[in-house]
Amino acid sequence: MAYETERTESPGRPEPSRPQDRRPAVQLIPPDERDKLALRLQQSLTGFVDGPRHAVEEAAALLDETAKRVTAALTERRHSLRADWQSASEGSSAEADTEELRVALRAYREVTERLLRL
């Protein structure tokens, strides 16, 4: 899975910067796949003049494919986040457990905030 560096802060509530908080945000669609999808969309748009119905059908199919890829990536990310914090708490001290839960909560917040910006 590809990564981009993006930090999300809560408006009006800055949090102290910690090294472990600088984990890269996961991209839902890797850049190369995203570029291919964008190219297909552009081809659909430019093909409208010569074949309007075909252009719209291609754009509809592209939206369906993109939605499926995003949904699959979100499902994978949710499972990964859950596995991280659930397995981290096994056999760890309360302090370490709390820190892992804080990091997990921050990751959930970042993903959710990104979705809300769509």
Side-chain angles (χ1 to χ4, degrees), residues 68-89:
K68 286 177 186 175
R69 287 183 186 207
V70 168
T71 300
L74 281 171
T75 299
E76 180 182 323
R77 181 67 176 139
R78 285 181 23 241
H79 290 284
S80 173
L81 284 171
R82 181 174 298 274
D84 285 351
W85 67 263
Q86 285 181 336
S87 65
S89 63

